[in-house]
Amino acid sequence: MAVPTYQDFLLPLLQISGDEQEHLLSQTVEFLANQFNLNEEDRKELLPSGRQTKLANRIGWAVTYLKKAKLLESGKRGTFYISSRGKEVLESQPSSINRSFLERFTEFQEFQNLRSSYDVKLDGSIIEDTDQTPEENFEISYQKLKKELGEKLLEQIKNCSPKFFEKLVVDLLLAMGYGGSRKDAGEAVGKSGDGGIDGIIKEDNLGLDLIYIQAKRWEASVGRPAVQAFAGSLEGMKARKGVMITTSQFTKEAKEYVKIIEKRIILIDGDKLTQLMIDFGVGVSEIQTYTLQKVDSDYFDEDI
C-alpha cells in the first residue's frame, strides 16, 4: 500500500499516547509502519529532496497538528505525551480524526489562520488544503519550478552554436570537479575529433584517469548503434570510461546496452544535462534562497 496521509495517522497517534507515557517520535514511526503493514519500499520512500522519508515527515506533521490542537504535549528530547484534552477526546471514542475535527479547537484555528498568511502560490493565490504536508507542498512546487527552468535551459542550448555547446560542456564538467584547470579542459574538449570522440578530459585534478567525451546536439533520439560506435572508439583508444551528452534522448536499447558492456559509459540526455546545470550553477543565476530548519533537540539537552 502507499504511505498513508498525515490525517490517517492522527487517531492512531492519539491512541498510542493513551497509555499516558512519553513516546519518542522515531520509535513511533516504526510502530505505525508495522501497524499499517507498510512494506520496505513504502518505509523508504523519500520526499522529492531525498532528505527525509515521506513516512517520517507525515507522522511528524500529524504529531505537530495534534499538539497545535492541544491533544498532545511536548516532552523532553523529541518526545510527546497525551494531554488532558487528548484523553477526553480519546474517551469519546471518535471513529476518525482529520483536519476538520481539529478545527473545532480554538488553538488549532489560530494556527491555521497563521499558516494561511504564508501558504500562497507564486501567483499569490492560497494553496488549497490537501493531504500533503507543508514540506511536500514546498518540494513539489520547487521540483515543478526546477523542471520548467530545465525546459527553458534546453531551449537555449538547442539555439546556441556548436562551439558554444562545447564551452557549455567544459563549464559543466569543471563545475562538477572534472578536467583539472580550465586551460586543460579547454584544450581537451573539441580538439580530438577522432573516431566519434569529441574530447578528452581529466577525471581528477591530477589526471590519474581520462574520460572520453562525445557531445552532440542531436534532435532525434540516440539509439544503440550510435552508443555502440562510441564504445568502439573507446576500445580503439584503449580507454575505459566515456560520457555521451545529447540534447535529445537515448532509446531504451541504448540504455540497456551500456549496462552489459565492460566499458563504463555514462549517458546524459537533455533533461539530465539541464538538471546538472541547475545543480552546479552553470547557465543559471540565483534569485532567492530558502532554508528549511528544525529544532535542534541536542542544543536543549541540559544533561550534556
Side-chain angles (χ1 to χ4, degrees):
M1 64 176 293
V3 178
T5 70
Y6 73 86
Q7 297 190 85
D8 294 322
F9 290 120
L10 293 172
L11 180 56
L13 278 167
L14 199 61
Q15 291 170 334
I16 290 172
S17 305
D19 60 6
E20 302 185 30
Q21 302 297 312
E22 290 192 358
H23 292 268
L24 191 65
L25 182 58
S26 58
Q27 294 175 348
T28 304
V29 170
E30 185 67 20
F31 180 86
L32 287 173
N34 293 330
Q35 182 174 316
F36 279 84
N37 296 317
L38 299 183
N39 59 35
E40 198 65 20
E41 183 179 352
D42 293 330
R43 296 173 191 230
K44 292 182 177 180
E45 184 180 356
L46 299 174
L47 296 176
S49 66
R51 297 183 178 182
Q52 187 184 28
T53 63
K54 185 176 289 186
L55 176 65
N57 179 262
R58 290 183 175 179
I59 293 176
W61 273 101
V63 170
T64 295
Y65 288 146
L66 289 171
K67 288 179 181 178
K68 295 299 180 182
K70 297 300 182 182
L71 302 184
L72 293 180
E73 298 288 350
S74 296
K76 293 181 179 180
R77 292 186 57 76
T79 63
F80 59 88
Y81 60 93
I82 197 167
S83 67
S84 56
R85 176 186 289 177
K87 286 187 284 186
E88 291 176 1
V89 169
L90 203 55
E91 288 170 358
S92 70
Q93 298 182 343
S95 59
S96 66
I97 296 179
N98 54 24
R99 183 195 292 265
S100 297
F101 183 97
L102 298 181
E103 286 175 349
R104 67 180 65 180
F105 304 110
T106 303
E107 295 88 347
F108 189 79
Q109 293 175 16
E110 292 174 349
F111 169 68
Q112 287 295 93
N113 291 336
L114 176 64
R115 279 195 58 202
S116 67
S117 67
Y118 57 81
D119 278 1
V120 294
K121 297 180 181 179
L122 294 180
D123 61 4
S125 59
I126 301 296
I127 293 177
E128 295 181 0
D129 287 342
T130 69
D131 286 329
Q132 292 164 335
T133 67
E135 276 103 335
E136 288 179 292
N137 279 321
F138 182 90
E139 292 191 15
I140 289 170
S141 298
Y142 171 76
Q143 293 298 329
K144 180 181 178 182
L145 290 172
K146 189 176 179 181
K147 184 176 184 298
E148 291 175 350
L149 176 58
E151 292 172 352
K152 293 178 181 178
L153 272 175
L154 192 57
E155 183 179 347
Q156 290 282 342
I157 294 169
K158 289 180 177 180
N159 290 329
C160 72
S161 67
K163 184 176 181 180
F164 186 86
F165 184 55
E166 291 173 359
K167 175 183 179 298
L168 185 155
V169 170
V170 172
D171 290 340
L172 177 58
L173 292 172
L174 284 172
M176 295 175 66
Y178 299 104
S181 68
R182 173 169 288 281
K183 180 176 182 295
D184 292 337
E187 289 180 351
V189 178
K191 298 295 183 181
S192 176
D194 183 10
I197 294 174
D198 295 322
I200 307 168
I201 201 163
K202 295 177 182 177
E203 185 174 14
D204 53 63
N205 290 335
L206 296 177
L208 295 175
D209 207 349
L210 298 176
I211 298 175
Y212 289 73
I213 301 164
Q214 187 176 88
K216 293 287 191 295
R217 296 184 306 158
W218 282 287
E219 288 295 332
S221 295
V222 181
R224 172 171 173 159
V227 179
Q228 196 164 352
F230 180 57
S233 299
L234 294 181
E235 184 66 31
M237 301 294 293
K238 294 185 173 15
R240 299 179 301 150
K241 301 176 182 178
V243 177
M244 286 191 74
I245 303 175
T246 178
T247 50
S248 60
Q249 304 85 31
F250 292 96
T251 64
K252 179 180 178 182
E253 292 74 19
K255 295 176 182 177
E256 292 297 325
Y257 174 71
V258 298
K259 295 178 181 179
I260 63 174
I261 61 175
E262 184 179 356
K263 304 294 182 185
R264 180 62 172 163
I265 297 179
I266 302 298
L267 304 179
I268 300 178
D269 61 14
D271 289 338
K272 181 64 175 178
L273 173 62
T274 56
Q275 294 309 306
L276 287 172
M277 291 174 65
I278 294 170
D279 290 341
F280 289 91
V282 176
V284 295
S285 58
E286 185 178 290
I287 57 174
Q288 186 59 275
T289 300
Y290 299 94
T291 302
L292 292 180
Q293 298 174 314
K294 65 178 183 178
V295 173
D296 183 357
S297 299
D298 291 337
Y299 175 81
F300 294 96
D301 186 358
E302 298 184 26
D303 296 329
I304 296 179

